[in-house]
Each structure stands twice: as C-alpha cells, then as structure tokens.
C-alpha cells in the first residue's frame, strides 16, 4: 500500500463497476489469499503438515491457488466441497478427508465421487465403533470392495462428534473393506490461550495412536496420520513433542486463516495474515445517530452475537444486532453519519459462515477488479435429480 487507507484501496479497486455492483457483495482479495497460503505453509513447516479445511473458502479459484502452492492434503465437510475439490484438482493427485460422520446417502455420494476421480485418495471419518461398523456394512452393500481408508474421530473434549480414546482402545481393528488411515482429533472448543488443555488432549491422542499400533495385526505407525487443530489451536499442536516426533505423519487443519476474520487476530499476528475477505455494503438509511447498512444476518456472520463485523476505517460506527437484511449501526456522539448510498467495507467476525451465504464472489488483485466467480460449494444440495422443469402432481 502507498499510505492509502484500506477502504480507499478497496473503493478504487471496484470503482470501474460500482454502478453495477449489487450489495451486499462478497469481495475476495486474491493477492491476500496467496500471501496467507504462503505464510501458513512457512509457519507450519511445509505443505505436508497442513491439511486445510475447505469449509472456509468453498471456491475453485482459491483451491487452485492452494494447489499451485503445492498443497495436496485437504479436509471437507460436505459432498459439494468434495466434488468441487476433485473437479478443480483435475489430474492432480489429492488426498482428502471427508471429515463428517457420513450416513448411508452421503457415503453413497462420497464413494461415487471417489470412483469418478481415481487419481484422488478419499478418506472417510468414523464417529464411533458402531458407526465404523455401519460404514463397513454400507460400503459392502453398495458393492464397494476395494480398501476404503478411514480415520477414527477422537473426542478430545469438544463433545460434538467422535468417541473418547477409551472407546477406541476397545476396538483395535477395523472391518473390511475399511483400512485404518489415522486419527482425527479436532479441538475446536479451545482458544489460543488454552495451551495446557490442548497439550493434554494431544497426549491422549498420541497414547491412543501408540496403543493402536502395538498389536500383531496393527498398521505400522508410518502409515498413519494424526490430524488436529483449527485456527485457534494449531500453534499448540505444532509445538507438541509427541505429535511432532512420532513415526506417524501429523498435520494441522485450519481453514479460516486462508481468508482471515475478526476472530483470527491471534493467528493473524502469529502467521502474518492479511485480511482477504470483505463484504461490500451500502448505507440504505441515515439519521443523526444511526445508519443502517444492507448487510444483515443473510449477508455476514449469522452465527455470532453482535457485533458480527467491523467497519473498515469507520471506528465511529458500532454495528448493532442485525435483522435479516438490515444492519443498524450506532454513530458515536459528535461523529458525522456517512451519507445515504455510501459504500462501506465490512470484515466479518466469522468468515466461514459469511462465505457460505454467497453464490458468487467478486475478485480483486493488485488493487484492481479482475472478475466474478462462483462460490461453488456454498449452501447445501440434497443430492436428488433436478426436477425443476417437471410440474409436481396435483393433489386429488
């Protein structure tokens, strides 16, 4: 930057298309994305130690930048994310963990995608010993007989999915056609400050991995991967001696850091992240002590308590609780209200849920508008054939 304020840089980038730009709009700075990817690879110690979660980016243009940087290991939570990754990778071999407890319908879709992209290695996640048996039974019923790599989901204290280490210790083998590929221990309940709690969880994960590799029919440790840690705990995992020095491969899986957001301030300082995702919004109502923007809960961070965002270069505006299409902001006493129609820029508190709200994103690079493209894995698909051109049957 040349001394300009960030809002001025962003205004200038979109100046050629402002008359056509409908707001709210998701805007992605591709230079910042590329810088964040490179900085994260350097911080974690190489491409093989980072398995980014694509729940944040959901865009082929960003996946391409990851692949160009040498990343080949990924996590996804939906079939749409898996399909987008495999299509974007093309002939490039990738290794992707479907890190969500698949049920029969989603497992069917995952296996179909894996068969259609033979160059890719697709792993599934087992939530519990009972779920492990169910995956094996469903796979056999679907005619899948080739080895299917599975990771065991280990509950390290989040109590959302997975089973505690003691339950997995009682189940040292996996049924055919599954093969044990590793352990997944996500610690999303912990913050940057909870280092000791994180280390205790990693101790338990390492102990379980060692136990699972001790029997005569157990896999060699070198064939296993231990996957841990999102944006708020990756540094704790990188420092853990058992994870770092074990015979297995260890990877961390933060995804938010690709785009960054307000909640990632500690990671931003640690890695040197740049803010890459913004929501462009306009003032649609202005009063002496209040302005309202067109970026409500359907436009930015619907899952967080207010404030859902920060307004770039406008500290005098305090975002209040949003309704669906409106974001009221209090104007600090003595400050001037932005004029009606003024373009403002928002940094989301939580970027992952923000990106998921958009069907397309505006791209800037080098301080210039460079195009628009789809957010190819936003929302949820049902997996059924499109019958939008078929009239539904009438009742009676």
């Amino acid at each position: 930057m040349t001394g300009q304020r960030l809002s001025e840089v962003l205004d200038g980038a979109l100046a050629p298309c402002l008359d056509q730009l409908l707001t709210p709009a998701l805007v992605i700075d591709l230079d910042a994305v590329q810088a964040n990817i490179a900085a994260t690879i350097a911080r974690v110690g190489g491409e093989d130690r980072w398995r980014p979660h694509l729940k944040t980016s959901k865009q082929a243009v960003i996946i391409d930048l990851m692949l160009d940087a040498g990343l080949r290991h990924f996590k996804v939570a939906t079939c749409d994310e898996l399909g987008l990754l495999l299509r974007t990778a093309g002939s490039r071999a990738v290794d992707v963990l479907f890190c969500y407890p698949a049920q029969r319908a989603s497992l069917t879709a995952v296996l179909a995608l894996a068969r259609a992209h033979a160059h890719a290695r697709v792993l599934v996640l087992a939530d519990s010993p009972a779920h492990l048996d169910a995956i094996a039974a469903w796979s056999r019923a679907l005619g899948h007989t080739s080895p299917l790599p599975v990771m065991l989901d280990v509950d390290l204290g989040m109590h959302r999915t997975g089973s505690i280490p003691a339950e997995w210790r009682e189940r040292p083998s996996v049924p055919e056609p599954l093969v044990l590929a590793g352990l997944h221990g996500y610690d999303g309940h912990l913050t940057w400050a909870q280092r000791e709690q994180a280390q205790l969880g990693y101790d338990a994960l390492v102990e379980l991995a060692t136990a699972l590799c001790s029997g005569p029919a157990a896999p060699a440790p070198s064939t296993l991967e231990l996957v841990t840690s999102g944006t708020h705990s990756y540094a704790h995992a990188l420092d853990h001696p058992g994870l770092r020095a074990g015979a297995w491969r260890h990877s961390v899986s933060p995804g938010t850091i690709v785009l960054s957001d307000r909640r990632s301030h500690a990671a931003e300082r640690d890695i040197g992240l740049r803010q890459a995702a913004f929501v462009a919004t306009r003032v649609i109502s202005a009063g002496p002590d209040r302005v309202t923007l067109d970026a409500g809960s359907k436009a930015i961070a619907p899952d967080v308590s207010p404030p859902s965002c920060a307004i770039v270069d406008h500290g005098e505006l305090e975002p209040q609780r949003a309704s669906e299409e409106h974001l009221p902001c209090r104007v600090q006493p003595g400050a001037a209200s932005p004029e009606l129609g003024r373009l403002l820029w928002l940094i989301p508190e939580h970027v992952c849920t923000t990106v998921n709200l958009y069907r397309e994103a505006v791209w800037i690079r080098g301080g210039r508008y460079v195009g628009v493209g789809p957010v190819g894995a936003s929302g949820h698909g049902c997996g059924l054939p499109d019958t939008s051109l078929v009239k539904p049957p009438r009742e009676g």
Side-chain angles (χ1 to χ4, degrees):
M1 288 196 196
T2 59
Q4 285 181 295
R5 298 198 306 171
L6 177 56
S7 59
E8 294 172 340
V9 173
L10 295 169
D11 286 347
L14 291 192
C17 57
L18 282 184
D19 288 343
Q20 292 79 41
L21 179 69
L22 298 177
T23 53
L26 176 66
V27 179
I28 303 294
D29 182 342
L30 297 178
D31 287 334
V33 170
Q34 199 161 6
N36 291 345
I37 293 170
T40 302
I41 291 173
R43 172 64 178 92
V44 303
E47 298 90 344
D48 288 344
R49 195 116 194 246
W50 185 23
R51 186 184 278 273
H53 200 323
L54 299 183
K55 69 182 179 67
T56 303
S57 52
K58 293 179 176 284
Q59 299 162 71
V61 65
I62 296 178
I63 294 172
D64 259 329
L65 291 176
M66 292 178 175
L67 291 166
D68 290 345
L71 292 170
R72 291 296 183 271
H73 299 84
F74 300 91
K75 276 172 57 173
V76 299
T78 71
C79 293
D80 287 338
E81 292 168 2
L82 176 59
L84 176 65
L85 168 64
L86 296 179
R87 292 191 301 272
T88 304
S91 60
R92 292 170 288 194
V94 293
D95 183 295
V96 54
L97 169 63
F98 188 80
C99 64
Y100 200 81
Q103 301 305 297
R104 179 164 182 151
S106 51
L107 181 66
T108 301
V110 167
L111 293 178
L113 286 166
R115 286 193 298 270
H117 298 83
H119 56 279
R121 180 176 183 245
V122 178
L123 303 87
V124 297
L125 189 70
D127 174 71
S128 63
H131 186 230
L132 184 74
D133 290 335
I135 294 173
W138 292 332
S139 299
R140 293 191 296 267
L142 293 168
H144 185 90
T145 57
S146 57
L148 176 61
V150 61
M151 281 196 175
L152 310 183
D153 194 12
V154 184
D155 183 3
L156 298 182
M158 192 173 187
H159 306 319
R160 185 177 68 178
T161 61
S163 298
I164 61 174
E167 293 182 29
W168 286 122
R169 275 177 172 272
E170 297 173 1
R171 189 63 190 275
S173 62
V174 299
E176 294 183 351
L178 308 181
V179 292
L180 182 60
L183 303 177
H184 178 264
Y186 182 63
D187 44 8
H189 58 300
L190 299 178
T191 67
W192 191 267
Q194 293 177 293
R195 178 183 177 87
E196 183 177 347
Q197 294 94 319
Q199 297 283 317
L200 291 173
Y202 305 144
D203 288 344
L205 194 68
V206 168
E207 184 179 348
L208 174 61
T210 302
L212 293 178
C213 294
S214 62
S222 60
T223 66
L224 295 185
E225 179 182 2
L226 273 56
V227 181
T228 67
S229 310
T231 296
H232 306 294
S233 56
Y234 69 85
H236 309 323
L238 293 175
D239 289 342
H240 189 272
L243 292 174
R244 184 176 65 248
W248 42 74
R249 188 172 81 85
H250 169 245
S251 61
V252 293
S253 56
T256 303
I257 54 180
V258 174
L259 298 178
S260 195
D261 60 14
R262 293 251 302 162
R263 300 205 300 197
S264 304
H265 50 86
E268 177 184 347
R269 292 192 299 268
D270 180 61
I271 298 175
L273 300 176
R274 294 168 51 185
Q275 185 59 40
F278 305 88
V279 171
T281 182
R282 287 188 172 98
V283 177
I284 58 170
S285 177
D289 59 358
R290 184 268 306 156
V291 296
T292 299
L293 312 180
D294 60 0
S297 63
K298 290 182 177 177
I300 191 163
D303 59 322
V304 303
S305 301
S308 59
C309 59
I311 304 175
V312 175
D313 296 331
H314 283 277
E316 77 280 7
L317 300 181
E318 300 175 5
Q320 307 298 299
R321 181 173 295 278
S323 55
E324 292 184 39
E325 307 292 352
H326 306 80
L327 179 60
C329 300
R330 188 173 74 86
V331 182
Q332 290 182 353
S337 298
E339 65 273 16
L340 195 66
R342 174 72 177 273
L343 185 72
L344 298 176
W345 295 90
L346 309 179
I347 296 176
E349 184 75 13
H350 190 191
V351 72
C352 305
T353 55
T354 298
V355 170
N356 192 57
L357 297 170
Y358 291 86
R359 294 194 300 269
E360 57 190 11
V362 179
W363 304 327
I364 60 175
R365 186 185 277 279
R368 299 175 55 195
Y369 165 76
V370 295
V372 175
V375 182
S378 62
H380 285 280
C382 69
L384 300 177
D386 184 356
T387 60
S388 58
L389 299 179
V390 178
K391 291 183 179 180
R394 294 183 178 180
E395 293 184 5

